[in-house]
Amino acid sequence: MKQKILILGAGFAGMWAALSAARLTSMHQRSDIDIVVLAPQPELRVRPRFYEQKVETLVSPLLPLFNVTGVNFVQGEAQRIDAEAKCVWYRNAQNESTVEHYDRLVLATGSHLRRDLVKGAAEHAFDLDQLETALRLEQHINQLGQQPDGPARNTVVVCGGGFTGIEVATELPHRLRQILGEGSAPRVIVVERGDVIGGRWSEELRDVIRQACDELGVEWRLGAEIAEVNEQGILLADGELIESNTVIWTVGVQANGLTEQLAAQRDAQGRLHVNEFLQVPGYDDIFATGDVARAATDDKGNVALMTCQHAIMLGRFVGHNAACSLLNLEPLTYRQVNYVTCLDLGNWGAVYSEGWEQEVKLTRGEAKKLKLSITSELIYPPKADRQIAFETADPLAAFV
């Protein structure tokens, strides 16, 4: 009887987990192990690019790649993990509840934005969290020119000054002028509860972001708490109302709720603590990866972030190790010592830094060229070629 590695999710971590597991089982000529990916769609949605235009094009089909590598795909949405019975209940494409059994389970179900943190955010704010919501925002922005001129139409408020908030905020001034007309005076305001721009980053990186925002005309409201999002815009805790028809929510990223179904330690973002092999302590047959895993990247106390940079390598290691556990091979310790930051800054360019201390290496046009290379090539799935796919799925292959 065949054994099965069941991978929940087809994002960066899930896709690479499947390819890595398929690679190792193929190397050992083990046709008695099935690699199965369970996800709502057989496609990789390139989420890091959702702040860009033409969002509908930012998907990559996975079936051709899975077919040549021997990965099986099941369409559905996981709903309940029964760790004792070693099965996952899911809602299939026909909206029926059915079950998939496993010998090894890999959680790669990603993350989502919490829109319940502030009153009215769920009803009145836009976001870039999923393909469908990013499409809704793009369609709304493209139709702003049809609205009556005024402060509410001309003002976009970005809630949160993290990576996503900065990238969408710096992208918007040029796009808004194209839509509203060159004679218009659009405002883009980032509302951030921290006291400085990019407070989690190095001073050198913050200075570049500040310079870019100043030149692009992006405003910041620092030390600001949002009390409510409503039909008029956003109400700050100090009583100020910023009129806006376009409020974009970028804060409160949380791991998928399936992590709560395991009796295991989780961090404040709901991520499962995993060991150096990406196993969930207490469950020898369950692994976690990507945005649902809290994993040490090195021996210096650094932890993987909720980024595709870490998800890609976490996926490669977890697929390899899940296969190792069925093949009775020694697993690999997950390590990802190199860390880079490449932040898009709209028409100003971009900024690229290296290391956890974020030493700036490139800015403006040079960094923009690198950013485009990363987001349009490096993070995409390999071509549907078995040899190329398996070479790139090797956890020890160079990445960044």
Side-chain angles (χ1 to χ4, degrees):
M1 187 174 177
K2 283 193 172 185
Q3 293 180 298
K4 184 187 296 180
I5 299 174
L6 178 60
I7 299 163
L8 305 183
F12 291 101
M15 179 201 73
W16 283 110
L19 297 181
S20 183
R23 168 188 171 273
L24 194 61
T25 56
S26 174
M27 284 174 56
H28 289 268
Q29 300 180 335
R30 292 289 295 271
S31 58
D32 60 331
I33 299 176
D34 278 340
I35 315 298
V36 178
V37 172
L38 170 65
Q41 304 91 15
E43 61 187 21
L44 177 71
R45 297 181 164 192
V46 190
R47 195 180 186 189
R49 297 184 62 185
F50 282 177
Y51 65 94
E52 299 179 24
Q53 300 183 66
K54 299 182 179 178
V55 175
E56 73 278 1
T57 67
L58 302 177
V59 296
S60 185
L62 293 177
L63 286 182
L65 180 61
F66 286 167
N67 288 339
V68 300
T69 53
V71 173
N72 300 297
F73 179 78
V74 175
Q75 187 165 9
E77 186 169 358
Q79 295 185 312
R80 184 168 65 85
I81 299 169
D82 187 336
E84 190 171 333
K86 299 181 72 167
C87 67
V88 173
W89 289 90
Y90 69 97
R91 184 73 60 180
N92 67 17
Q94 290 73 44
N95 205 32
E96 301 163 336
S97 182
T98 187
V99 68
E100 192 79 29
H101 290 269
Y102 64 82
D103 293 280
R104 296 295 182 270
L105 179 65
V106 176
L107 265 71
T109 43
S111 60
H112 62 274
L113 281 182
R114 287 192 59 187
R115 288 158 53 93
D116 59 347
L117 299 173
V118 168
K119 180 182 177 183
E123 296 80 13
H124 301 291
F126 296 89
D127 68 66
L128 300 163
D129 191 41
Q130 304 297 327
L131 182 71
E132 293 80 7
T133 57
L135 275 169
R136 176 172 166 261
L137 172 60
E138 182 178 24
Q139 291 163 0
H140 167 81
I141 289 173
N142 288 341
Q143 294 169 1
L144 283 176
Q146 301 170 23
Q147 296 184 12
D149 190 7
R153 183 200 73 168
N154 297 337
T155 303
V156 175
V157 177
V158 177
C159 302
F163 211 98
T164 301
I166 290 172
E167 291 199 318
V168 70
T170 52
E171 168 83 5
L172 283 173
H174 176 68
R175 196 192 302 185
L176 290 171
R177 282 192 295 272
Q178 286 182 315
I179 293 167
L180 303 179
E182 285 301 322
S184 62
R187 297 179 68 195
V188 178
I189 304 171
V190 180
V191 177
E192 165 61 38
R193 66 189 304 178
D195 294 329
V196 295
I197 293 174
R200 287 161 284 185
W201 300 320
S202 70
E203 185 175 355
E204 187 180 17
L205 184 55
R206 293 200 304 266
D207 288 343
V208 175
I209 297 167
R210 186 183 304 108
Q211 180 185 357
C213 288
D214 288 345
E215 292 185 24
L216 292 169
V218 173
E219 304 173 40
W220 285 73
R221 295 293 177 88
L222 297 170
E225 293 281 350
I226 301 169
E228 180 183 348
V229 182
N230 55 42
E231 293 178 351
Q232 295 175 285
I234 68 164
L235 181 67
L236 300 182
D238 63 6
E240 179 187 2
L241 174 69
I242 302 177
E243 291 185 65
S244 174
N245 293 341
T246 313
V247 177
I248 304 174
W249 193 261
T250 71
V251 295
V253 180
Q254 194 77 8
N256 182 278
L258 283 176
T259 62
E260 300 171 16
Q261 298 186 16
L262 300 180
Q265 185 179 3
R266 295 179 297 125
D267 68 7
Q269 291 179 292
R271 298 185 299 174
L272 290 161
H273 286 244
V274 292
N275 65 17
E276 67 270 31
F277 307 126
L278 306 181
Q279 286 174 299
V280 179
Y283 298 90
D284 291 341
D285 53 0
I286 299 180
F287 298 74
T289 189
D291 286 2
V292 297
R294 185 191 185 280
T297 62
D298 53 32
D299 298 320
K300 299 179 180 179
N302 295 308
V303 174
L305 303 177
M306 287 175 156
T307 65
C308 70
Q309 175 182 174
H310 285 117
I312 288 169
M313 289 306 296
L314 281 164
R316 292 175 182 175
F317 273 89
V318 82
H320 178 93
N321 287 346
C324 279
S325 68
L326 291 180
L327 296 169
N328 294 317
L329 299 173
E330 284 296 315
L332 291 173
T333 296
Y334 164 68
R335 284 295 178 262
Q336 192 170 353
V337 177
N338 294 335
Y339 171 62
V340 303
T341 304
C342 199
L343 187 67
D344 197 347
L345 296 171
N347 263 20
W348 187 88
V351 57
Y352 169 75
S353 67
E354 295 181 350
W356 289 97
E357 66 282 359
Q358 292 165 327
E359 183 180 351
V360 173
K361 298 292 186 179
L362 299 172
T363 62
R364 295 192 181 266
E366 286 185 297
K368 187 78 162 188
K369 188 184 297 183
L370 178 60
K371 177 70 174 180
L372 293 174
S373 174
I374 291 171
T375 57
S376 63
E377 298 174 23
L378 183 64
I379 66 174
Y380 271 72
K383 62 188 294 187
D385 179 290
R386 185 181 177 89
Q387 181 178 346
I388 292 173
F390 284 167
E391 285 175 356
T392 51
D394 183 350
L396 300 181
F399 180 48
V400 293

